[in-house]
């Protein structure tokens, strides 16, 4: 089961990266309930093993492309973000270290595997994956646009994806060129 979770996470990430046109230096926020992935109620059965496989699958796609992963903590840490320091120069860092039952197993996996992890209260990411209804919307840039992936679940958890685009400003004559993002 664990290997299939890694493959599902990699597939979903690759599809979203392609659909969103993510480029080097951009940020993908991921919220992941390892409990939901394993078929349990969110927050009830945190699994470091499940989270580690999902983290590895996501990073196998993002790292070679130079795209940063922002791992959302659970509500016990007010949905703080764990991210590589290099992604957020000058950001206001907060002092917290996630754990499986206080921050979540996925954020813990990110903290343990990043080369120089930091925690932030918030971020404005370019795209996002929500694995298990973790509510990542607060960490996406405006305007979020749903992305339909071929996968609807990772394990037993519902999978939702989004990309962002710049706001339309200027009325009916405003034009949007997605290739210039």
């Amino acid at each position: 089961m664990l290997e299939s979770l890694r493959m599902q996470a990699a597939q979903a990430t690759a599809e979203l990266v392609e659909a969103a046109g993510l480029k080097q230096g951009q940020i993908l926020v991921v919220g992941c309930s390892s409990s939901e992935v394993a078929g349990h109620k969110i927050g009830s059965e945190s699994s470091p093993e499940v989270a580690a496989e999902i983290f590895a699958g996501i990073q196998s796609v993002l790292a070679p492309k130079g795209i940063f992963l922002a791992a959302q903590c659970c509500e016990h840490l007010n949905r703080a973000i764990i991210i590589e320091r290099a992604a957020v120069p000058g950001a206001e860092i907060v002092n917290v270290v996630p754990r499986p039952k206080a921050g979540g197993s996925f954020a813990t996996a990110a903290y343990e595997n990043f080369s120089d992890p930091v925690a932030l209260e918030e971020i404005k990411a370019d795209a996002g994956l929500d694995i298990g209804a973790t509510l990542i919307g607060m960490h996406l840039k405006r305007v979020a646009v749903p992305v339909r992936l071929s996968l609807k679940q990772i394990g037993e958890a519902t999978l939702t994806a989004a990309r962002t685009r710049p706001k339309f400003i200027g009325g009916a004559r405003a034009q949007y060129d997605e290739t210039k993002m």
Side-chain angles (χ1 to χ4, degrees):
M1 173 184 142
L2 291 177
E3 181 62 28
S4 69
L5 296 176
R6 181 187 295 224
M7 292 181 348
Q8 290 172 357
Q11 179 183 339
T13 303
E15 287 182 24
L16 180 56
V17 165
E18 176 69 23
L22 293 180
K23 296 171 179 36
Q24 182 176 352
Q26 289 189 299
I27 297 171
L28 173 72
V29 64
V30 176
C32 175
S33 169
S34 61
S35 299
E36 291 273 336
V37 170
H40 304 288
K41 180 182 169 199
I42 194 168
S44 66
E45 300 284 331
S46 192
S47 171
E49 298 80 17
V50 165
E53 290 299 320
I54 293 170
F55 174 84
I58 292 168
Q59 279 296 81
S60 73
V61 174
L62 298 183
K65 297 178 181 298
I67 299 168
F68 291 104
L69 169 62
Q72 178 182 273
C73 294
C74 73
E75 66 181 294
H76 297 105
L77 295 183
N78 299 320
R79 305 210 189 286
I81 292 293
I82 305 301
I83 193 165
E84 289 281 10
R85 184 183 307 269
V88 291
E92 185 174 346
I93 295 167
V94 296
N95 189 17
V96 68
V97 176
R99 294 291 171 238
K101 295 284 187 180
S105 289
F106 184 75
T108 301
Y111 192 89
E112 291 174 349
N113 286 282
F114 285 162
S115 62
D116 189 13
V118 296
L120 309 175
E121 283 188 278
E122 62 185 1
I123 198 159
K124 295 298 180 194
D126 302 290
L129 282 175
D130 189 323
I131 306 167
T134 61
L135 303 176
I136 62 166
M138 65 191 284
H139 292 302
L140 290 171
K141 290 179 181 175
R142 295 185 185 200
V143 171
V145 179
V147 174
R148 304 288 180 237
L149 304 175
S150 66
L151 292 175
K152 304 298 178 215
Q153 293 180 202
I154 292 182
E156 298 297 315
T158 302
L159 178 64
T160 305
R163 65 177 179 84
T164 62
R165 65 158 176 80
K167 296 178 191 178
F168 290 131
I169 303 294
R173 293 183 168 261
Q175 293 186 355
Y176 171 63
D177 184 356
E178 200 167 274
T179 64
K180 305 252 174 161
M181 287 181 45

